[in-house]
Amino acid sequence: MSQTSSKWGVFANRWFSYYFLTATLSKLGSQIFRLALPWLILEKTGSVAMMSVMWVVEIAPFVVLGPFLGVFIDHWDRRKVMLWSDFGRAVLVALIPILLALGALPIWSIFVVGFLLSIFTLCFDLVADFAMLPQLVRKDQLTSANSIYMGMDNLSNLLGPAVAGVSIALLGAANSLYVDAISYFLTLLVVYKMPIKFNADQEQGTEKEKMTVKSILRDVQGGFSFIFRSQILWVLALVGCLMNLAIGALYTVMTFHLGSDLHLSSAVVGTMYSMMGVAALIGSFLAPRLLKIIPMGRSVLVAAVASFGGTLVMALVEDWRVAIGGYAILTIAGTMCNIYTFTVRQREIPSHMMGRVNSAYRMILTMTFPISALIVGGLATVFDAKTAFIGSAVLMAVVIPATLFSRVSSYREQEETPESATAGA
């Protein structure tokens, strides 16, 4: 490895650096949309219920359409998928302030924009995360690249709300969306110029079968079948579902506990959650470093044990400051676990099945969030927040044997000779 590569790590790969920079700006722009859209709905309707409907509309494509979109992505030109997705998102986001200025922005049109935007985002992310990112760095750098990539996402979650708040204050909720629209063109330009083959698996001389309703349904089934035939992926999916059941609704319950039970101010609660953004960054920093000490599977187990420890602290300790510390531990461990499972999926899923398998995997995990709201949120409603924390700890405890007594705990990264990335420095 050259001295420059050693000094700069994954950033020695020029196109990874370009994409990282533009994706960071795009993520910050998305934070503006995330705050501006519900704010705009609140201004137009004054209804919290309408804001909740917007959340359902935005998450629906991931559950209902995800597996089908994955099949199309496996057949289409993936570079064009990313380009059109970014272009579509830019147009949709800019459409809101334009329609508002023309006096033609009924509430249903905002829901339509949110629904379509989620479709484009899903398509873009599936290609970026699993077809593009592994080609921008050497194979031995993949976990580090994932850590930095997710760290960027966590950093945008930490800084984004402040950027969004300032933008809305200066420009207004609607006009601030122009900033988000412009940010999409930055990643579009980098993806357009990027010298990598997005569809290398389709250039092996095998002609793709023409898509029909029958073939699409078969491929959707094939995505789910691949997960459950894999010795590692079905266990990771199970572990992910159990973790989502345990912690999916914890954010809402913790907010209720801090605000309603403990009567803390919104400023204090907001500060606590900003600290969680720092905790997520710490998790991104620690993930690749733990791999230098123990193998991938054992690292997943350590993260599962730490997650259980965090929920146990929340359940058993009365001091809310210590409970927040438990939530921080849970955030650090959860971030690390996400990075590890992300890397395993990049390694284990064949390129030609990337779309259908990952969209099926994401659907399986996403479906557990409303169930978590019923279980953990239900315990908080019927009893109290502490009972909900105990329920989360019990569910999280199941994750440990599910990880320990499966192939996950013995999983190791493949031994590979470091090679230059396709898009090298």
Side-chain angles (χ1 to χ4, degrees), residues 48-259:
V48 176
M50 284 295 182
M51 296 169 67
S52 299
V53 171
M54 188 70 225
W55 179 81
V56 174
V57 167
E58 289 180 305
I59 202 172
F62 292 86
V63 178
V64 179
L65 300 178
F68 298 96
L69 291 173
V71 171
F72 290 125
I73 288 171
D74 285 340
H75 286 79
W76 291 339
D77 184 312
R78 292 170 185 161
R79 188 192 300 270
K80 290 182 179 179
V81 169
M82 293 187 72
L83 295 176
W84 281 110
S85 294
D86 256 349
F87 181 77
R89 290 192 293 183
V91 170
L92 286 170
V93 170
L95 194 61
I96 292 177
I98 291 173
L99 290 177
L100 184 63
L102 296 174
L105 187 68
I107 190 65
W108 62 264
S109 64
I110 300 179
F111 292 152
V112 171
V113 168
F115 184 83
L116 293 176
L117 200 66
S118 291
I119 291 177
F120 284 127
T121 297
L122 175 59
C123 291
F124 184 94
D125 288 347
L126 282 174
V127 179
D129 296 347
F130 298 100
M132 183 191 73
L133 194 60
Q135 296 190 63
L136 298 182
V137 297
R138 297 195 315 266
K139 292 181 180 179
D140 64 307
Q141 294 178 322
L142 191 53
T143 301
S144 295
N146 287 332
S147 299
I148 291 171
Y149 188 61
M150 291 190 181
M152 171 266 292
D153 197 35
N154 293 325
L155 184 62
S156 69
N157 290 335
L158 178 63
L159 301 178
V163 175
V166 171
S167 298
I168 292 173
L170 294 176
L171 304 175
N175 289 333
S176 65
L177 294 175
Y178 286 122
V179 178
D180 185 25
I182 293 172
S183 72
Y184 288 123
F185 284 106
L186 300 177
T187 51
L188 187 152
L189 179 62
V190 170
V191 170
Y192 178 77
K193 299 291 291 184
M194 199 172 282
I196 64 173
K197 294 182 179 179
F198 284 81
N199 293 69
D201 56 287
Q202 296 179 8
E203 299 175 7
Q204 306 299 321
T206 301
E207 186 176 350
K208 285 282 185 180
E209 177 186 2
K210 183 179 179 181
M211 285 193 294
T212 63
V213 173
K214 183 178 180 180
S215 69
I216 291 172
L217 293 176
R218 185 192 63 225
D219 286 348
V220 169
Q221 181 184 10
F224 286 99
S225 297
F226 185 90
I227 293 172
F228 293 109
R229 287 199 310 268
S230 169
Q231 293 182 345
I232 185 71
L233 291 181
W234 77 267
V235 185
L236 285 179
L238 174 63
V239 169
C241 285
L242 290 172
M243 293 186 74
N244 284 347
L245 285 175
I247 65 177
L250 269 189
Y251 181 91
T252 302
V253 174
M254 175 61 86
T255 303
F256 174 81
H257 179 57
L258 295 176

Side-chain angles (χ1 to χ4, degrees), residues 218-416:
R218 185 192 63 225
D219 286 348
V220 169
Q221 181 184 10
F224 286 99
S225 297
F226 185 90
I227 293 172
F228 293 109
R229 287 199 310 268
S230 169
Q231 293 182 345
I232 185 71
L233 291 181
W234 77 267
V235 185
L236 285 179
L238 174 63
V239 169
C241 285
L242 290 172
M243 293 186 74
N244 284 347
L245 285 175
I247 65 177
L250 269 189
Y251 181 91
T252 302
V253 174
M254 175 61 86
T255 303
F256 174 81
H257 179 57
L258 295 176
S260 182
D261 294 343
L262 302 179
H263 307 291
L264 299 179
S265 69
S266 59
V268 172
V269 175
T271 301
M272 294 300 102
Y273 284 133
S274 292
M275 292 172 59
M276 295 309 106
V278 175
L281 287 174
I282 293 173
S284 299
F285 175 81
L286 292 177
R289 285 154 182 82
L290 183 60
L291 286 184
K292 295 179 180 179
I293 304 173
I294 56 178
M296 175 78 77
R298 292 291 174 179
S299 296
V300 174
L301 180 60
V302 169
V305 172
S307 296
F308 170 68
T311 54
L312 199 61
V313 169
M314 295 173 64
L316 301 181
V317 177
E318 292 299 326
D319 190 318
W320 67 269
R321 299 170 188 83
V322 181
I324 283 291
Y327 195 79
I329 293 172
L330 179 63
T331 301
I332 292 171
T335 300
M336 296 172 69
C337 194
N338 285 339
I339 291 169
Y340 298 143
T341 56
F342 203 81
T343 303
V344 173
R345 287 157 63 191
Q346 288 171 327
R347 291 180 176 275
E348 296 294 323
I349 299 173
S351 179
H352 69 281
M353 298 184 69
M354 173 274 303
R356 74 195 78 169
V357 177
N358 279 300
S359 58
Y361 190 97
R362 181 174 291 191
M363 175 185 175
I364 292 171
L365 296 188
T366 304
M367 289 177 65
T368 57
F369 283 115
I371 302 175
S372 176
L374 290 175
I375 297 176
V376 179
L379 288 173
T381 301
V382 176
F383 300 100
D384 53 29
K386 278 294 179 180
T387 303
F389 296 156
I390 293 172
S392 292
V394 171
L395 288 169
M396 191 62 72
V398 182
V399 174
I400 297 175
T403 306
L404 180 61
F405 300 110
S406 69
R407 187 175 179 268
V408 172
S409 62
S410 60
Y411 184 87
R412 292 175 178 269
E413 289 186 282
Q414 299 172 2
E415 296 293 334
E416 292 164 335

